[in-house]
Amino acid sequence: MKKIKLLFLLLPILQFTPLFAQAGKVDGSALRLKFALLSGFYNSDWENRNQSFQLFYNRVLEDNWKDKNKAYGGKLGMDYFAPLKNSTFTHLLFGASYSMIHGGFPMARYGSGELQTGKYTGGYNSLELTFGTVINAYEGLRVIPKFVHRSLVQNLKNKVDTYYFSDTTVGLLNGTELYKSNAALGYLGLGLEYDITPTLTVYFDSLLFSNFLIQSNGKYQVDGSAQGFLLSNSSAVSMTRLDHSQGNYKVSGNRFLLGFNLKITDSFRFFIATEKDSIVTEISNPIGSNVLGLLSLSSRSTFAVQGDAINKTIYEMILYTGKQRIESTTLQLGVAKDISF
């Protein structure tokens, strides 16, 4: 509701603002350059996945992001409209775009005699290639069916401080966790544009059917490292922990966008839009391992190594393979310039 009110407050102002739309009628051959700023909310599929894993494997409960998942980003793209000698099928469309959304999200985990604090930072990037056609349905209304090849890369980094405490023991570990996933797939998309006035256009854009022509495939990887010490019964122990996980990663989903654009001149446009992007993620064939090295710092130094590849893999097969979602909702403000040939 707040976004709708903002939109109607902005539209009268935009009529007098010398800004440069994502959509809009094209005559002849033209290249459209687009740039937009994004602001909104982002949820990673690793949030729910990691909460379950931490609870059952490491015996700590992790807070969710709740309303702390605000994020920002940008889009950069270009579309080439090749004219056709047909009054209905007016143009072929070839496009490429790159977008990113990024944020920082505080983290806390609680367990028996253990407290972890940290901060996730990161987001996801999307590279898209578009092939479509512009259909002049009737005066002022254009329909744009298209195929979109999309590549997605998600990165999250978590800096973690772990505190151990009991009646006889205190300890501290400092470390990092790195989450990375990538996948590519094909979408069948549909765009609609309607000219309310010669200068104002409302447009709808969607990616409706995923894994169309190109089936999703990709990988995920999780790496963790931590170093610290433990004081217990007047003895000191240095600790080093290494974690690793990997497996196959597939995505599906849809995306919907609704926006307005304002034509300032024959070549410059301004647009405002809201977009909902939902990406369903699936993990298969996970493999996990961790290694804990302990070095005694007492007068009789000893070194021991503990590993847990089998249990960690079993837990990941149970807790990582459930379907989760990457979700983002953004408000977009942008400009576009048409270069005619």
Side-chain angles (χ1 to χ4, degrees):
M1 183 61 68
K2 290 183 179 180
K3 293 180 180 179
I4 295 175
K5 291 181 179 179
L6 176 62
L7 173 62
F8 285 100
L9 286 173
L10 283 174
L11 284 177
I13 300 173
L14 297 177
Q15 298 180 15
F16 305 98
T17 306
L19 296 174
F20 321 109
Q22 185 167 354
K25 185 177 180 181
V26 172
D27 295 316
S29 177
L31 178 67
R32 176 167 292 168
L33 305 177
K34 302 176 293 184
F35 173 74
L37 296 176
L38 283 60
S39 178
F41 299 89
Y42 156 69
N43 280 302
S44 168
D45 59 322
W46 282 107
E47 181 184 3
N48 290 332
R49 209 170 257 130
N50 209 39
Q51 285 174 356
S52 299
F53 180 77
Q54 293 292 342
L55 177 61
F56 289 97
Y57 182 72
N58 290 323
R59 306 295 188 267
V60 291
L61 178 64
E62 179 173 336
D63 286 346
N64 60 36
W65 296 353
K66 295 182 180 178
D67 298 325
K68 304 171 185 177
N69 57 347
K70 295 180 181 179
Y72 58 90
K75 279 188 176 182
L76 184 64
M78 60 181 181
D79 294 329
Y80 175 66
F81 295 86
L84 300 173
K85 295 181 180 180
N86 188 294
S87 59
T88 302
F89 295 86
T90 61
H91 291 83
L92 290 177
L93 169 63
F94 305 93
S97 67
Y98 175 79
S99 63
M100 62 169 291
I101 188 165
H102 184 279
F105 320 103
M107 182 279 293
R109 299 171 186 156
Y110 314 91
S112 178
E114 181 178 346
L115 171 64
Q116 297 182 23
T117 61
K119 184 176 183 180
Y120 288 101
T121 58
Y124 73 92
N125 306 333
S126 175
L127 177 63
E128 298 179 13
L129 301 177
T130 301
F131 308 91
T133 184
V134 180
I135 301 173
N136 186 22
Y138 63 85
E139 186 62 30
L141 176 64
R142 293 171 295 281
V143 180
I144 308 173
K146 56 188 176 179
F147 168 76
V148 177
H149 178 268
R150 194 178 190 194
S151 297
L152 294 162
V153 176
Q154 184 176 215
N155 290 281
L156 287 173
K157 182 178 182 180
N158 190 13
K159 292 186 177 181
V160 186
D161 294 323
T162 303
Y163 305 91
Y164 299 99
F165 49 89
S166 69
D167 293 339
T168 59
T169 303
V170 294
L172 172 64
L173 275 177
N174 302 114
T176 59
E177 300 168 349
L178 300 174
Y179 303 81
K180 183 176 182 179
S181 58
N182 65 80
L185 75 165
Y187 284 91
L188 181 62
L190 179 68
L192 299 172
E193 301 178 5
Y194 180 69
D195 298 328
I196 300 175
T197 71
T199 59
L200 182 63
T201 299
V202 59
Y203 63 99
F204 169 80
D205 188 73
S206 62
L207 299 181
L208 296 170
F209 301 103
S210 54
N211 290 304
F212 180 78
L213 297 182
I214 296 178
Q215 295 296 306
S216 173
N217 66 88
K219 301 286 185 182
Y220 85 91
Q221 183 170 314
V222 180
D223 288 296
S225 63
Q227 300 81 35
F229 66 90
L230 191 68
L231 299 178
S232 177
N233 295 322
S234 301
S235 65
V237 177
S238 173
M239 298 184 296
T240 299
R241 177 168 177 164
L242 302 175
D243 286 272
H244 177 78
S245 302
Q246 65 181 47
N248 296 323
Y249 192 82
K250 294 183 178 181
V251 298
S252 58
N254 50 59
R255 185 178 70 195
F256 300 98
L257 179 147
L258 180 64
F260 290 84
N261 80 67
L262 186 67
K263 184 177 180 181
I264 306 300
T265 70
D266 289 340
S267 62
F268 289 99
R269 303 169 185 265
F270 170 85
F271 61 88
I272 179 172
T274 182
E275 180 181 84
K276 173 68 174 181
D277 194 1
S278 181
I279 304 164
V280 179
T281 65
E282 296 180 71
I283 278 177
S284 60
N285 306 318
I287 297 175
S289 65
N290 82 29
V291 176
L292 179 63
L294 303 171
L295 175 62
S296 174
L297 302 179
S298 61
S299 57
R300 296 181 60 185
S301 297
T302 58
F303 179 72
V305 176
Q306 303 172 4
D308 189 17
I310 295 177
N311 285 339
K312 193 165 188 289
T313 297
I314 292 174
Y315 273 95
E316 292 189 8
M317 290 179 65
I318 296 172
L319 300 172
Y320 275 7
T321 53
K323 288 185 179 181
Q324 299 293 346
R325 288 179 181 270
I326 302 172
E327 292 183 318
S328 66
T329 302
T330 56
L331 180 67
Q332 306 178 9
L333 298 174
V335 296
K337 176 177 174 58
D338 289 349
I339 302 174
S340 300
F341 298 98

